[in-house]
Amino acid sequence: MSKIKVSDLAKELNITSKELLASLKDLGVAAKTAASSIDEESAKVVRELFKPAAAKVETPLPPKEEPIIAPKAVAASSSAKGLVIDTEDISVKDLSEKLVIKSSDLIKELMKRGLMVTINQRIAAEVAKEVATTLGKEVTLKLTKESGEATMEHHKIKIEKRALRPPVVTVMGHVDHGKTKLLDAIRKTKVAEKEAGGITQHIGAYQVTVQGRKVTFLDTPGHEAFTSLRARGAKVTDIVVLVVAADDGVMPQTIEAINHAKAAGVPIIVAINKVDKPGANIDRIKTQLSELGLQPEDWGGQTVTVPVSAKALTGIEELLEMILLLADVQELKADPNASPVGVIIESRLDKGRGAVATVLIKNGTLKQGDVFTCGSTWGKVRALLTDTGARLEKAGPSMPVEVLGFMDVPTSGDLFQVMASEKEARQQAEQRKEQQSKILRGKVVSLEDFSKEIKEGQNLDLNLLVKADVQGSLDAIIKSLVDMKVGNIGVHIIHSGVGSINESDVMLAMASKAIIVGFNANFDGSAQNLSSAEGVEVRQYNIIYKLIDDVKLAMEGLLEPEYEEVVVGHAEVRNLFSFSKIGTIAGCFVTDGKMIRGLQMRIFRDKAKVYEGKMESLKRFKEDVKTVESNFECGINIPGYTDFKVGDIIEVFEVREKSRK
């Protein structure tokens, strides 16, 4: 990373090096003299801090006259009760002006949270409120109807139910149970032979015609994609077709698919495949389904089961009829005349055509030439294509189309929305691009959060995903948790299984706002990194009663974080220096770890503790420093304490929240 000298930057900004050093100190940037160098990122922040001040002197325009770019640029208003923010985000400059605080103080507070922002960057409304509260200012969040309906995190699309729309169906099931073959069989029997376009291409979704009506199938790779979309707030599926092989029965991935569908609240139709095989046993499948809470209709339950053979092309008509029947019961509707809104199903970078994506239209009718915004990108519809490669002029609700015209490749699950102008679309995409992913990510509940909500009087069930090393342990844990009840609060187990905690578990927990509880269960692959990145809490235990106790305490509202002391380093006192104004400074040598200013410390003499307090002063030669590493000398001063002795051992420690085992 390139660096710049403090003296050079001061000259560039037309201020003294002393003024610049003072500002850098406020921002927490380490720079001691005019000859010190700072990184370009810090320099950029400082430039932003000093430029607006100069601009205001030259052109003293009132703040209200500045943002006339777009309606959403007016991000907040002041009221008697403090500041009201009625959009998803607000610029650092606007926030500092409206709160009447220094922009440098605001940027400094954001830096403490790990956010390197400039004065013109926009931050999420939730972050703005949090920072303002820390600085003693009151902020109220009040999203407008417009902004609330188009948030990136939650696709809460207001749909006027004016006309029936085709159902959207996702096919799921265990590997090798014939999911792909069933989709191929449906496509072969129901996609019109005369459809124009030539080469069939995979766009992740397609439509078939049944009895003169359309049905949309999402051809996505299993329940992982289904849950990934839902975890990002996109509810795209109306019906799940669960494929179970008649000769193989219910398998682990079948159970996962059922739990994913149940967690999404989507009705399930079971397609019992391979009924033409010699070992097929339909009654055994129905018994297994009943044990999982899917009681077949002909056994007095509500789950539709259809025997099919993808290979022999039998039962396909009956399956499609049942899909239409279930769609009629749900009365799926949309408004084809509304402003077009959709969800990204798949996306890729095509060598000849640039960024392309499959969009499932949720509402309205998308036309060629429409300008749109989608996540952090935008574009103009250059072409609409079906899965057969046929060109379309327009696409209505529940129709999957491949869209050409994106500036960049969007992410699966992103909200696709048609805008009034290119300027507005570009602005919205740029605002979203500036926001960091950690700001946008929704907060996932922890056991402590749940416990706190119970204390505050909120009544809700605790969503858990349970993994264990062996079936016996899993059965014992499930039985204990299911029977647990505190008042009207219960435990809802969205999924359980034997084996490691995998990425699919993390995505399901994220989508369902659940906590993962593991008993002797380790992470599989990059599941741990994913859980950390997405903020999903994973609790690992090796004692069953400890697991049960923690869940029970959380439900009673009594679970508090456990803390532990972690020793950071030791130093030995080797010299003593006395100063009339300061007192005694202990000249020390760091024997292990490191000394950190601001942490707690203890002084030991002949293994007996003689003092405990806070390390308020740490020096290296004459300079105040924050950290001194092992095998270096340092000076330690404690205001009001002079009883240092050569040979004393200084121990520095910090109190951290303990991870529960």
Side-chain angles (χ1 to χ4, degrees):
M1 186 182 281
S2 60
K3 294 201 171 190
I4 184 170
K5 276 190 178 181
V6 170
S7 56
D8 292 341
L9 184 58
K11 198 179 289 182
E12 178 192 320
L13 297 170
N14 200 22
I15 58 172
T16 65
S17 296
K18 189 175 179 181
E19 285 176 307
L20 181 54
L21 285 167
S23 294
L24 290 171
K25 190 177 179 183
D26 285 343
L27 292 171
V29 179
K32 302 298 176 188
T33 65
S36 301
S37 295
I38 62 172
D39 58 68
E40 193 55 45
E41 188 64 39
S42 300
K44 187 179 175 185
V45 174
V46 175
R47 287 189 187 101
E48 292 289 342
L49 281 174
F50 281 94
K51 281 181 181 176
K56 278 182 187 173
V57 175
E58 292 167 24
T59 55
L61 290 174
K64 285 183 181 176
E65 292 179 19
E66 286 178 11
I68 50 172
I69 304 164
K72 287 190 80 174
V74 183
S77 61
S78 298
S79 70
K81 291 184 178 178
L83 180 66
V84 177
I85 300 178
D86 58 6
T87 54
E88 307 172 33
D89 51 31
I90 184 171
S91 72
V92 173
K93 182 181 178 185
D94 285 347
L95 186 61
S96 67
E97 285 176 354
K98 292 180 187 298
L99 291 176
V100 196
I101 56 175
K102 287 182 183 177
S103 51
S104 58
D105 291 340
L106 192 56
I107 291 173
K108 183 181 174 184
E109 198 59 44
L110 287 163
M111 280 179 169
K112 286 179 184 176
R113 287 167 165 74
L115 303 175
M116 291 294 289
V117 295
T118 63
I119 197 162
N120 293 318
Q121 267 185 272
R122 301 184 75 82
I123 58 173
E126 292 85 356
V127 176
K129 181 180 179 181
E130 195 180 314
V131 173
T133 305
T134 306
L135 296 170
K137 302 286 184 177
E138 191 177 342
V139 167
T140 305
L141 300 186
K142 189 179 178 183
L143 280 180
T144 62
K145 187 178 177 184
E146 178 192 352
S147 61
E149 286 169 12
T151 59
M152 287 178 65
E153 292 175 44
H154 304 288
H155 301 289
K156 293 177 181 175
I157 307 158
K158 187 180 178 184
I159 295 175
E160 292 287 337
K161 297 181 177 180
R162 297 194 177 180
L164 285 170
R165 64 171 177 82
V168 180
V169 182
T170 297
V171 180
M172 301 200 291
H174 191 76
V175 66
D176 294 332
H177 275 204
K179 179 174 73 76
T180 306
K181 279 197 174 123
L182 180 62
L183 279 164
D184 288 344
I186 292 168
R187 206 167 190 278
K188 197 181 292 181
T189 56
K190 289 297 166 188
V191 174
E193 296 293 335
K194 292 180 182 177
E195 269 191 59
I199 302 168
T200 297
Q201 54 195 31
H202 178 74
I203 70 166
Y206 59 85
Q207 277 193 333
V208 300
T209 306
V210 184
Q211 298 172 6
R213 293 167 60 183
K214 298 278 188 184
V215 178
T216 299
F217 282 90
L218 295 188
D219 186 8
T220 56
H223 56 260
E224 289 86 354
F226 172 83
T227 309
S228 175
L229 285 169
R230 197 169 68 85
R232 288 171 173 80
K235 188 182 185 303
V236 294
T237 305
D238 302 311
I239 298 166
V240 164
V241 171
L242 180 70
V243 181
V244 185
D247 61 332
D248 210 2
V250 170
M251 301 295 279
Q253 280 181 312
T254 317
I255 298 168
E256 278 191 37
I258 291 169
N259 290 329
H260 283 246
K262 280 183 176 178
V266 179
I268 300 170
I269 293 176
V270 180
I272 303 174
N273 194 23
K274 304 185 183 181
V275 292
D276 54 329
K277 290 192 80 171
N281 188 338
I282 295 175
D283 283 344
R284 181 170 69 98
I285 306 297
K286 289 182 178 179
T287 302
Q288 291 175 332
L289 291 170
S290 299
E291 289 168 358
L292 294 168
L294 296 179
Q295 188 85 4
E297 265 190 335
D298 51 347
W299 285 20
Q302 294 186 335
T303 304
V304 176
T305 58
V306 184
V308 299
S309 170
K311 190 176 179 183
L313 300 181
T314 58
I316 306 295
E317 290 289 342
E318 289 80 358
L319 177 62
L320 293 169
E321 279 176 22
M322 287 303 168
I323 289 170
L324 288 178
L325 195 64
L326 197 51
D328 289 340
V329 172
Q330 293 185 72
E331 290 189 348
L332 305 167
K333 292 183 178 180
D335 181 5
N337 299 316
S339 178
V341 174
V343 174
I344 303 297
I345 303 299
E346 283 188 352
S347 59
R348 69 183 189 281
L349 192 62
D350 189 283
K351 198 173 181 181
R353 301 180 298 173
V356 295
T358 302
V359 180
L360 179 71
I361 309 300
K362 294 280 285 178
N363 204 33
T365 301
L366 184 65
K367 302 179 188 71
Q368 194 171 323
D370 281 346
V371 175
F372 61 84
T373 179
C374 184
S376 59
T377 187
W378 66 284
K380 188 174 183 179
V381 179
R382 285 196 282 114
L384 297 170
L385 304 170
T386 68
D387 59 300
T388 61
R391 277 185 173 261
L392 295 172
E393 289 298 317
K394 57 186 181 179
S398 291
M399 187 161 190
V401 281
E402 190 169 60
V403 177
L404 276 64
F406 288 84
M407 291 293 176
D408 295 299
V409 179
T411 306
S412 292
D414 274 351
L415 180 68
F416 179 99
Q417 196 172 23
V418 169
M419 305 299 283
S421 66
E422 286 189 24
K423 183 179 178 183
E424 196 177 341
R426 185 171 57 249
Q427 271 181 350
Q428 197 169 105
E430 284 171 356
Q431 286 172 11
R432 285 171 175 168
K433 203 167 189 176
E434 285 173 359
Q435 295 178 341
Q436 297 184 18
S437 59
K438 65 189 268 185
I439 304 172
L440 294 173
R441 198 157 50 239
K443 188 176 183 295
V444 179
V445 73
S446 69
L447 271 184
E448 282 80 15
D449 293 332
F450 181 82
S451 180
K452 189 179 175 185
E453 287 171 358
I454 298 301
K455 277 183 185 175
E456 291 169 357
Q458 297 180 33
N459 295 328
L460 63 166
D461 282 348
L462 175 61
N463 287 340
L464 291 181
L465 191 153
V466 186
K467 296 300 285 277
D469 55 345
V470 291
Q471 191 64 45
S473 300
L474 184 66
D475 291 342
I477 292 166
I478 296 296
K479 188 178 185 308
S480 299
L481 292 175
V482 168
D483 293 344
M484 196 180 293
K485 199 88 174 166
V486 176
N488 59 348
I489 302 158
V491 172
H492 180 213
I493 296 171
I494 60 166
H495 176 63
S496 62
V498 173
S500 304
I501 298 162
N502 55 41
E503 289 185 33
S504 175
D505 296 327
V506 176
M507 292 305 292
L508 178 55
M510 181 188 168
S512 306
K513 295 289 185 286
I515 297 157
I516 298 176
V517 178
F519 177 74
N520 289 335
N522 296 317
F523 285 99
D524 183 33
S526 58
Q528 186 169 13
N529 292 336
L530 182 64
S531 68
S532 300
E534 299 295 353
V536 173
E537 185 178 27
V538 180
R539 294 283 183 124
Q540 292 173 287
Y541 297 87
N542 50 28
I543 302 170
I544 288 182
Y545 78 79
K546 181 61 179 162
L547 183 158
I548 304 299
D549 281 355
D550 273 5
V551 174
K552 190 174 182 182
L553 285 169
M555 291 168 70
E556 290 172 347
L558 300 174
L559 188 63
E560 299 289 346
E562 289 182 15
Y563 296 96
E564 61 180 344
E565 284 185 5
V566 178
V567 175
V568 175
H570 294 92
E572 182 185 348
V573 178
R574 295 192 173 177
N575 290 296
L576 299 175
F577 306 95
S578 294
F579 297 92
S580 56
K581 289 183 180 179
I582 301 171
T584 303
I585 293 180
C588 305
F589 181 80
V590 184
T591 54
D592 64 82
K594 55 188 171 184
M595 297 290 105
I596 302 176
R597 190 178 74 232
L599 294 188
Q600 296 298 112
M601 63 176 282
R602 299 188 186 101
I603 301 176
F604 292 94
R605 188 172 300 153
D606 299 326
K607 295 185 180 179
K609 184 174 75 173
V610 294
Y611 177 83
E612 183 168 339
K614 189 177 181 181
M615 183 173 286
E616 295 181 4
S617 172
L618 182 66
K619 292 181 180 291
R620 176 108 174 99
F621 301 112
K622 291 183 179 181
E623 297 289 332
D624 285 313
V625 291
K626 187 168 173 55
T627 306
V628 177
E629 300 287 341
S630 177
N631 296 323
F632 284 94
E633 293 177 340
C634 63
I636 296 172
N637 169 249
I638 303 169
Y641 182 83
T642 57
D643 191 27
F644 286 107
K645 298 279 190 252
V646 173
D648 284 352
I649 301 297
I650 296 174
E651 180 180 82
V652 173
F653 65 96
E654 67 177 326
V655 178
R656 297 176 187 166
E657 190 174 329
K658 189 178 179 181
S659 60
R660 295 174 186 270
K661 296 288 181 187

